[in-house]
Amino acid sequence: MTLEEVRGQDTVPETTARMQSAGKALQELLLSAQRQGCLTAGVYESAKVLNVDPDNVTFCVLAADEEDEGDIALQIHFTLIQAFCCENDIDIVRVGDVQRLAAIVGAGDEAGAPGDLHCILISNPNEDAWKDPALEKLNLFCEESRSVNDWVPSITLPE
């Protein structure tokens, strides 16, 4: 057995547990931010917030289903948002299930169709730094991911 094989065996359970923990933390953070009124949903709405007050943004979530992967305009928006977030030290993650995200934040119009949840920003609710345990877990998750050159880690939300 090679060293890579031994390391690969050890990291699989750790990676799965780490991903589940991050997914649960993201769900908690989204619910907490929504209760406090510091959640911005939508690509264009998020771009406006990033343009006006980037120092107040603490976390960014990009979400796309498989059918969205072929949307060139959306991918360009994602690239620009990712670059802006990286330059302004805003932690960012990707989620592959827009419907699950809609179920968590309860976004939608009267017909039940989900609103634009492709980009969600979480801002500080006031001038003081927001101390949320879920946000701290996600910041650590992003920091650990960056240490292995995963600049925009993917998170799976819990069912």
Side-chain angles (χ1 to χ4, degrees), residues 11 26 37-38 44 74 79-80 85 87 95-96 102 104 116 124 136 141 143 146 153-154:
T11 59
L26 180 57
C38 51
Y44 295 108
L74 182 62
T79 301
L80 294 172
C85 288
E87 184 153 323
V95 173
I104 292 170
D116 180 9
N124 278 325
E136 290 175 12
F141 175 80
E143 187 178 318
R146 283 191 301 271
S154 293

Side-chain angles (χ1 to χ4, degrees), residues 4-156:
E4 289 80 16
E5 291 172 336
V6 170
R7 283 188 183 157
Q9 288 178 350
D10 292 341
T11 59
V12 171
E14 180 184 306
T15 302
T16 303
R18 186 173 165 259
M19 289 293 289
Q20 289 173 342
S21 175
K24 189 173 186 306
L26 180 57
Q27 181 176 356
E28 291 169 10
L29 179 63
L30 290 169
L31 293 171
S32 176
Q34 189 175 33
R35 279 191 304 272
Q36 294 193 30
C38 51
L39 188 137
T40 303
V43 172
Y44 295 108
E45 292 80 3
S46 296
K48 289 179 201 172
V49 170
L50 288 170
N51 189 40
V52 172
D53 193 12
D55 294 334
N56 201 30
V57 177
T58 60
F59 203 78
C60 178
V61 179
L62 297 178
D65 289 326
E66 283 187 27
E67 62 265 9
D68 295 324
E69 295 300 324
D71 185 344
I72 301 300
L74 182 62
Q75 296 307 316
I76 290 170
H77 288 299
F78 279 3
T79 301
L80 294 172
I81 290 169
Q82 287 174 26
F84 192 89
C85 288
C86 288
E87 184 153 323
N88 287 280
D89 296 323
I90 299 168
D91 286 327
I92 182 169
V93 296
R94 275 189 167 247
V95 173
D97 191 349
V98 177
Q99 296 300 321
R100 179 69 187 122
L101 201 55
I104 292 170
V105 297
D109 57 20
E110 294 77 36
D116 180 9
L117 296 176
H118 291 109
C119 182
I120 295 178
L121 296 181
I122 296 164
S123 304
N124 278 325
N126 54 36
E127 293 299 316
D128 299 327
W130 187 25
K131 299 295 180 201
D132 184 287
L135 179 60
E136 290 175 12
K137 283 182 190 174
L138 286 168
N139 288 337
L140 181 61
F141 175 80
C142 289
E143 187 178 318
E144 290 171 351
S145 296
R146 283 191 301 271
S147 72
V148 293
N149 290 325
D150 187 4
W151 294 96
V152 184
S154 293
I155 291 181
T156 303

